[in-house]
Structures are given as structure tokens and as C-alpha cells.
Amino acid sequence: MSKQIDSVFDGAGAKPGLEIWCVEKQLRLVPVPKSLHGKFYSGNSYVVLSTVLPRSGPPQHDIHYWLGKDANEVESTLASDKALELDSALGSCTVQYREVQGQETEKFLSYFKPCVIPIEGVFSSDSGQLNGESYKISLLTCKGEHVVSVREVPFSRSSLNHNDVFILDTASKIFLFSGCNSSTQERAKALEVVQYIKENKHGGTCEVATVEDGKLVGDPEVGEFWSFFGGYAPIPRDSPCVEKQSDSPFSQLFWITAQAKLCPCEGSSLNKEMLETNKCYMLDCGAEIFVWMGRNTSITERKKSISVTEDLLRNQGRSMATHLTFLTEGLETSIFRSYFNNWPQVVEPKLYEEGRGKVAAIFKQQGYDVKELPDEEDCQPYINCRGKLKVWRINGDQLTLIPDPEQTKLFSGDCYIVQYTYPGNGRDEYLFYAWLGRDSVPDDRADAISHMNAIADSSKRDPVLVQVIQDKEPLLFFSIFQTVIIFKGGLSKRYKNLIAEKGILDETYDEQKTALFRVQGISPENMQAIQVDQVSNSLNSSYCYILQTGTSIFTWIGNLSSTVDHALLDRMLELINPTWQPISVREGSEPDIFWNALGGKTEYPRQKELKQHVEDPHLFTLTCVDGMQNTLSNFIHSRDDVLCLGSELLQVLIAVKFFLMVGIGSYAAWLNFVAGDFKVKEIYNFAQDDLTTEDVLILDCHEEIHVWIGSHSNIKSKQQAILLGMKFLQADPLVEGLSSETPIYVITEGREPLFFTRFFEWDSSKANMHGNSFERRLAILKGKKQNLEVHTSKSWKASSKETTPDSLRSKSVSSNGRNSTSPVSSASVTHFNSPTNYQISTPAPTARKLFPGSPFHDSAGSPKAEAESPSQAAVLAQVDGNDASENSVIYPYERLKVNSSDPVTDIDVTKREVYLCDDEFREKFGMRRKAFYELPKWRQNKLKISLHLF
């Protein structure tokens, strides 16, 4: 196969980012320098490779071949063939897309923000520019609210309409003309294009004018705009644009034979079993066509399949807007899978444990006592965990405040409201949870949401609201409690009444009864004991357990549990009952009395519980139409207990809980009733600027979702925020097996917590601008400074002293360690990309959590002052924008690698990169230090792993 692959692809895909090649007139492929990325010439065809390092798993590759409108058929065919060759060079593990000038996919456009403006002419690798490029007046149309499709239209009045946004680019001034029916988001995105043109074509010196459709000529700039079209004249009214939508998406599957013929596949519905691994198929979905290529097909067969599909488009006269996507078996996109019934959820082996074991072995060779290397990114709560905690139990129509010593003890038959107050950016922040026990009564669940809403409203702080169901708690929930014990049974009146009415045995925990607890967690600051059914199949070799028989206490240590688990077991015993004298039992050496207490010995899970690989987050924009709004409004106005809350945003929580209360069948049926009113659209390569103030968006982190509400989103979208989140979980747009019980966070614009902003390169000044998205972008473009309250992030220790009132600070340390210094809570660095100010919010992460007794802990086991280490000083310098790290010792790369034959000692092994000299750092990472440390932490770690520095 290597003979069929162009040598220009040698080394392709080795580093994250974009690589671009252009088909020159001599029918050869030449690399395009990075300085010219985003500049596409209409007379050429291109091959674009995007490489992404996900948080876990192998690199992900997307290949796009772009066809200019003036490129000839031979060059276009060559680009298609070269894309397939590149796929082969990368092990046939890519997704390929055909891109046609003016009809590009949103994923392709997202690589080149703010826009792609094709250039007339032909690319030449000798000069790096086209033949005879000259400046001329041009009229461009811009479409898209998150990525912009820019297309040049004839410079004529007839090109203008009321639905789109246009840019008139003249020698001395750029005009933005906004059709009266265009959206605010489209106008704002068009301003980004204006800024791009101003900087790249005019050297940043030309003037900018905005013209609104229907504005009279009395304004000098409006008159100047119309003078280019021979004077003002009304634009004819457009006919209403109605999108045709079929009741069900059209799709037809064809088998592509060895003779390059299409044979329809029989069957009323599509299922995965129809796809054979030694064949190629075409799935025609109307506006999009997929070519699926089995793993056992040859590169010749794949070329034929692509060729017959492109011929089909030409012969049928299909629109150039029809997108072509080419998939290899095992790499199916979510859109492709959505056309098949019940596409199986296959969990691929990630070699996770093997890799962690190798890293742990390297640490052992350096003299450290470590069994496993914890995932630092996943163990961070990202907020101060030394705040004030209040917990209420729902008890009929009343709230019962739980005393501090008892607030970490929850019952599965009850519901609780948790209010957590912690110091934020110059002010106290509030976080509210409604924790719904697995066995709780529906009325208690509804009241928990109602009371949480009322308390949150009274705070007047736009707090973050979270719905959590037992067994689906996010890491942050456990982090703010630090220690949680969840008992079976319940204490609420309704729970007691329910079991009495149904004659159910009351399982509420009692020290005189037999009880089995599973102990879990990641550290003494994040550990839980969960009471489970006292039967032997509740055991698992990966955990430790506490068995209480009434007369004896046993601790059971699973063969696959870690030393961390053993330490947590001892700590949890002291917290549950410090007077207990347990009998320690290792798996495989249990006495008969142990099994008798569990009703006899039966089979239980004995294999290592592999940690599920961490999914990269995805951002979606959500919209709903009036039909859904009316459905919800009618329901809300029929219930007095909802109306009394007064908050439209929080009323919807009650609505959702009502449908949960009715039962899952009724709830699912109701969601299906309004399913047609719900639209989801993914935003690729998202950034903070995609959080447009007019929208409601969902950040899907798989284990939890965040519903973000823009301050200028319309009332019905705000009112349905939680409902949209529930519907999103049911829709599962990525076909990733989302649970309907996934925790849902509700976050309002301007009050984004750090555990949300960590997924972005966050600039706090942008988050606090006034006006709609168009007004904000116009202010930036014209250099007008708004009167903003810019939040700068401080060390959490400083914030705790300066911003937390004495009444909100604990006066003593409670039994679970609350308000003691939490190593986990101080483990994040936030970079604020303000051009004039970079702030460190907290000390940089260190290896303090790797293992007890390491050089990063003092004799008492607490973290040492990290600011004294050379690496910490280096990180401070890097975040402050400097590239040099003068205070740190420099070592060569070969000695810093984890597999070095001559390894360096006495360094911070989690920050090996800071000991590289500047030149070697840029050579290895392909970027400067500042750019590296502005990346999300998980991307930094992924890069370091690829370079054997982590």
C-alpha cells in the first residue's frame, strides 16, 4: 500500500492542528505554509487534514478535500484520490468530507474562524500567491449564526435582499448592510468578517459603516452606501422562505458492487447488520450522502465507490450543496448512526489500565511508592471547596434544616436541598442542588424542586441550579461534601406513610440491623460510603466494604482494590462509628459467619472495573418553536403551586418534575408529543464567542450537561431551559447512550462558574459586556470601551479572606474536614486572555495527590508551599506572557523523557516541560510556552504524553 501513497504525506497527522496541501496545475500536491492557511484560491483544489488529540484515546483525523469553483475536473478528481491516499497513510481511521466552494460544511468553516473568503485566481507554490491578484470593489453575503459562510455575489442592487447580511468592500470604507429579516447573531458574525477584511485587506486603517435595511437616506453613510448602486431604491419584498421538512428523514441504502453499480438494499428499516465488512455502501439522505467502506475493502474499491457517488450527483443534477461524507467501518459519525435503528453502543478497549500501569511502573523506578497514577484533570472540583454548606430535608410540606454534624448523612428514601456558598471572583457564589433519593416519594421530589427554586430566587444572585438523582452524582457534588454516607430507607413523613400503606419492610438504617456499605472515593476530601443490599452479589473485587451484623463488624478488602481504597476504608470506619472494632477480611479468606450474614455465598463481579474513557465536550445550540411554548404555558397556568414561584426560568423545573412524578411512561409520552418542536445543532471547535447572548446552549460533557442561558435569549427559550435539557438527554444527538438521569446544570450568562469556563479559553471581560451580540461586536470593532465590571480571578485563599463574610465562614473544623485546606480544591490554573492582564486564580497543579510520602508532601502529608519550586516560578512566568523561565534549571529533552536512559532526578515530574530551554520547547511542542499554557489542561497533558513528558 505504501507504493500507492504520495510521499508528500510523510509524517502527516503526527501533531495536532491543520495541514493543507494544494493541487497545482502540474497535477502535483504541494504543502501550503501555515501563513496561508484559510486562503483558498477558486482555481485550485485542496486537501485539508485536521488532527485532534482527544482527552482519551488515539488521535482523531478529519480529511476535507475542497474544490474551487474554477478548478477543472481532473484536479478535483486528483484531490479526491489524494484524500483517500492520506486516509490510507493514517491507517484508514479518518472521516472524509467533500467541500464545494460556497457550500462548505460547518465543521470545515469552523477551522478558519471568522471566515473563508475564496480568492480569484490560482495558487502558486513558488510565490505563495495567485497570478495577478488586484484589489476591486466586491459585494459579499454572510450567512450563519455561529460559523459564517461568505460568498461573493454580483455587485448589483438586485443581489440585495431583506433576509441576509451583506458586506460592501470598497477601497476606503467597508459597509455592513443588514436585511430587516436577518438575525442579531448573523449581524454580529458578519461584523467579525468586516473586522477580518479590515485587518487583512486594508491594513486596519479603513473606516467601517453599518447600514440598516429601510433606513432613510438622510444619514450620510447610508447615502454613501446607496451611491455605489446608483442611488437609493426600495428592495423588493422577498417571498416567504419556507423550508420543506418531511415527516421523517428520507434515506435509502445502496450496495456498491465491484462493477461500480448501485444496488438498492431491501428492508423497511435500516440496521447495522445490513453493512458487510467486505463491501462498500452508499446511504442517500437527500441533502447529504454517506459512503460507508468496510474494513476489508481495498483502496481500489474505495476509489470506485467515491467515483460512482460523485458521478451520481452529476448525472442526477443534484445540488452542489449536497454534502458527501466518506466513512470507514468503526468510525461512523453520529449523524450517520442516527439513520439506523438501535445502533449498538460498543465500548472499545482503550488500554487505559495498561497505560496507567506503565506510568506507575516508571514512578516506582524513580523510588516512589505508587500503585496508580490518578487522572488529575478528572479529580479537580475547580471551585473552592471550603465554603459554607446548608442541607435541608424535604419533610412533607416543610423543610427540615439538617444540623452540621448530620448534614453528610443522606437517605435514599428522602429528597434534600443543598445550598453551597463559596468565595468567587470578588463576590460570594451560590450553588444549589436538588438531590433526589432513588427510593424517594414523587411528591417529595416535586417539593424539593419547588423549595430549591424559592430559596434560589431569594438569593437574588442568579445561582447555578442542579438536578441530581442518586447514583448519578457528579464529582463536584461529592467534593463540596467531602464525606457522604448514603443510608437505605428514609426519615420523611411521606416515605414512612408510603411503606406503611404498601406494607413494605422499612429498611431505614439502624445500628442493630445487618447493613453492607460500599466504600468509594478518590481521597479523604472526596469519599463516600453507600449502603447496598446485604447480599453477596453486591460485592465487587474493585472495592472495599463494611459489613455490620449487629454483633460484629467486618471490613472486606477486594483483591483489585488499591492502597487508596484501603486508607479510605479506615477513615470511613472512624466516621460511621469510631467505637467499632472491625474484623479485617481479605477477599478469598472469608469466614462462614461473613457469608451467612449476606444470606450465603453467590457469584459477584471479580473483574477490574475499567474507568470509562473521558469524552470530549460538545456544544449545541437549541431552539424550540411556539408549539412547545404553548404546551408548557398551558401546563404552568393550570398549577397554582407553579405560579406562586414567580420565576419563569424556575417554573419549568416544576413542570419537568411533574412529569417525572406522573411516571416515566407519561413523561416519555409527553416528550414525544413535543419532539417535533425541538432542534439541536452542534457547534464545532467551539469557543467563548459562540456563547451568544440571544441563545440557549447545551454543553454536553457526557457525565453531565450544562444548560447555558443567554441574558438576551427570548422569554420562551429561558422558560424552557430545563425542559430543553431533558429533551436533549432523550434525543441523545450524538447517539452516545446518554442517561435520562444525567445531572443538569442551569447557568446564566455573566455568572459562569469555573467548572463551566474551564472548557473555554475564558476572557471575563467578554462575559460582562452589555447589549446584544451585534452591539457588543460593534463596540469592539470601533474600539469603544464599555463601562464593564471585569472580574479578575484571585487565589482561592485570598478570596476566602477578602470576600467571605464572617457569618459565612465556619468557626471550627467539622468531623468531615470541611473548611480545612483541601489539596484538591486548589488544583487549577485559569488563564484570562485579556490583552493587558493575566491572573493566576490558584496554585498550579502538582503531584501532591499521586501517593503518600512523596517528595511533594511534608512529613504530615500536607502539600508543601508550591510557589517555592522552580517549576512553579516558571509557570507563573509563562502565564504572565514571558517565554523564558529564568528561575528554573534547564535540562535537555532526552534526559527529561519518562523513558530516558539517563533520567533527571529532583524535578517536578508532572511539569517536565518547564525544564526545557525555549528553543527546544518550541521545537518539540510546535508553539511558544504562552500558547501551550493557554490550552485546556487535558490538551496539555495529551501533548506531553505524545512527547513522553507525562
Side-chain angles (χ1 to χ4, degrees), residues 48 62 76 90 164 255 257 396 443 461 471 473 546 664 754 758 796 877 883 894 900:
V48 178
D62 286 313
S76 300
L90 295 171
D164 297 324
W255 165 44
T257 68
D443 282 345
R461 298 292 185 90
D471 301 328
E473 297 90 349
I546 299 171
I664 189 62
L754 186 58
R758 70 188 181 97
W796 68 267
D883 205 41
E894 293 301 325
S900 173

Side-chain angles (χ1 to χ4, degrees), residues 445-659:
R445 294 189 174 199
D447 282 346
I449 303 298
S450 175
H451 287 302
M452 179 183 69
N453 295 342
I455 298 173
D457 269 347
S458 67
S459 71
K460 307 295 184 183
R461 298 292 185 90
D462 283 335
V464 175
L465 305 181
V466 196
Q467 168 197 298
V468 174
I469 297 177
Q470 182 183 349
D471 301 328
K472 292 292 184 179
E473 297 90 349
L475 172 68
L476 181 58
F477 179 83
F478 287 138
S479 295
I480 64 176
F481 274 91
Q482 298 189 6
T483 300
V484 176
I485 305 172
I486 301 178
F487 298 103
K488 295 177 74 69
L491 303 178
S492 73
K493 297 176 183 177
R494 287 172 178 155
Y495 176 79
K496 295 295 186 184
N497 292 338
L498 177 67
I499 60 175
E501 291 173 2
K502 294 189 175 183
I504 301 174
L505 178 66
D506 190 353
E507 295 184 309
T508 303
Y509 173 76
D510 187 329
E511 288 192 5
Q512 303 305 316
K513 297 179 181 178
T514 300
L516 181 65
F517 295 89
R518 181 181 70 244
V519 178
Q520 62 188 40
I522 58 176
S523 73
E525 292 81 25
N526 188 321
M527 61 179 183
Q528 306 86 44
I530 315 295
Q531 187 177 358
V532 296
D533 294 336
Q534 51 266 21
V535 292
S536 55
N537 61 12
S538 294
L539 299 175
N540 187 307
S541 298
S542 297
Y543 294 99
C544 295
Y545 291 79
I546 299 171
L547 175 62
Q548 169 192 327
T549 65
T551 57
S552 302
I553 303 296
F554 293 91
T555 58
W556 186 86
I557 301 174
N559 288 334
L560 300 178
S561 60
S562 68
T563 53
V564 173
D565 297 325
H566 305 164
L568 297 182
L569 176 65
D570 295 337
R571 178 72 178 270
M572 190 60 74
L573 272 170
E574 297 177 4
L575 293 175
I576 296 179
N577 191 327
T579 65
W580 281 349
Q581 298 297 320
I583 302 171
S584 182
V585 175
R586 280 200 166 269
E587 182 180 1
S589 61
E590 303 88 350
D592 291 339
I593 187 176
F594 177 87
W595 295 119
N596 292 339
L598 296 178
K601 184 178 181 179
T602 60
E603 286 300 315
Y604 57 85
R606 299 174 184 268
Q607 295 180 340
K608 180 68 174 178
E609 278 200 346
L610 295 180
K611 180 177 177 181
Q612 185 178 11
H613 69 279
V614 181
E615 299 284 351
D616 284 357
H618 296 261
L619 186 66
F620 296 85
T621 180
L622 308 179
T623 55
C624 58
V625 298
D626 291 341
M628 178 188 280
Q629 163 68 13
N630 295 334
T631 301
L632 184 61
S633 295
N634 292 336
F635 166 74
I636 288 176
H637 286 88
S638 68
R639 290 179 60 83
D640 294 337
D641 61 337
V642 177
L643 285 175
C644 69
L645 292 176
S647 168
E648 291 180 337
L649 166 61
L650 301 176
Q651 287 167 12
V652 87
L653 282 166
I654 305 300
V656 172
K657 289 296 104 182
F658 169 75
F659 289 104

Side-chain angles (χ1 to χ4, degrees), residues 891-944:
Y891 291 105
Y893 169 73
E894 293 301 325
R895 293 196 64 195
L896 290 170
K897 294 193 301 182
V898 294
N899 56 355
S900 173
S901 58
D902 181 23
V904 180
T905 58
D906 298 327
I907 63 171
D908 185 342
V909 294
T910 66
K911 299 185 179 65
R912 296 174 181 270
E913 75 281 358
V914 302
Y915 301 97
L916 291 170
C917 68
D918 294 336
D919 291 341
E920 200 162 22
F921 186 98
R922 286 194 292 269
E923 176 189 347
K924 298 299 180 183
F925 286 90
M927 64 184 76
R928 300 173 71 88
R929 293 183 193 269
K930 176 185 173 185
F932 174 77
Y933 286 105
E934 287 176 350
L935 296 174
K937 188 66 190 303
W938 61 269
R939 288 192 178 179
Q940 296 179 25
N941 289 344
K942 200 70 179 181
L943 280 170
K944 292 195 289 185

Side-chain angles (χ1 to χ4, degrees), residues 12-16 50-62 90 93-94 331 942 946:
K15 293 183 179 180
S50 169
T51 301
V52 175
L53 294 178
R55 299 179 69 181
S56 61
Q60 295 176 354
H61 305 287
D62 286 313
L90 295 171
C93 60
T94 74
L331 297 166
K942 200 70 179 181
S946 67

Side-chain angles (χ1 to χ4, degrees), residues 94 96 166 209 217 219 236 302 491 593 806 828 850 918 946:
T94 74
Q96 303 166 59
F166 296 85
V217 189
D219 188 318
R302 298 182 181 194
L491 303 178
I593 187 176
D806 291 341
S828 64
L850 293 180
D918 294 336
S946 67

Side-chain angles (χ1 to χ4, degrees), residues 687-689 691 749-750 752 761-770 776-777 780 788 790 833:
Q688 183 183 355
D689 287 340
L691 300 176
E749 182 182 8
E752 295 87 353
E761 293 183 11
W762 197 259
D763 183 346
S764 60
S765 64
K766 291 182 180 179
N768 293 278
M769 294 186 71
H770 304 298
R776 297 179 188 186
R777 179 56 58 181
I780 293 174
L788 304 178
V790 180
N833 300 328

Side-chain angles (χ1 to χ4, degrees), residues 608-743:
K608 180 68 174 178
E609 278 200 346
L610 295 180
K611 180 177 177 181
Q612 185 178 11
H613 69 279
V614 181
E615 299 284 351
D616 284 357
H618 296 261
L619 186 66
F620 296 85
T621 180
L622 308 179
T623 55
C624 58
V625 298
D626 291 341
M628 178 188 280
Q629 163 68 13
N630 295 334
T631 301
L632 184 61
S633 295
N634 292 336
F635 166 74
I636 288 176
H637 286 88
S638 68
R639 290 179 60 83
D640 294 337
D641 61 337
V642 177
L643 285 175
C644 69
L645 292 176
S647 168
E648 291 180 337
L649 166 61
L650 301 176
Q651 287 167 12
V652 87
L653 282 166
I654 305 300
V656 172
K657 289 296 104 182
F658 169 75
F659 289 104
L660 285 176
M661 181 177 66
V662 170
I664 189 62
S666 300
Y667 170 63
W670 184 80
L671 280 180
N672 289 331
F673 173 71
V674 294
D677 302 317
F678 174 75
K679 293 181 181 180
V680 178
K681 189 175 185 181
E682 183 171 4
I683 301 173
Y684 299 101
N685 297 303
F686 63 83
Q688 183 183 355
D689 287 340
D690 290 310
L691 300 176
T692 47
T693 186
E694 293 81 15
D695 288 332
V696 175
L697 299 105
I698 282 188
L699 184 67
D700 176 10
C701 303
H702 190 74
E703 295 298 325
E704 60 194 32
I705 66 171
H706 303 255
V707 183
W708 183 88
I709 307 166
S711 58
H712 286 74
S713 58
N714 57 42
I715 292 298
K716 60 186 178 183
S717 292
K718 274 190 175 182
Q719 189 180 25
Q720 298 174 51
I722 295 297
L723 176 60
L724 289 173
M726 297 295 291
K727 288 177 62 60
F728 178 89
L729 294 177
Q730 190 203 36
D732 193 9
L734 294 179
V735 196
E736 57 181 330
L738 281 176
S739 169
S740 61
E741 297 180 347
T742 300

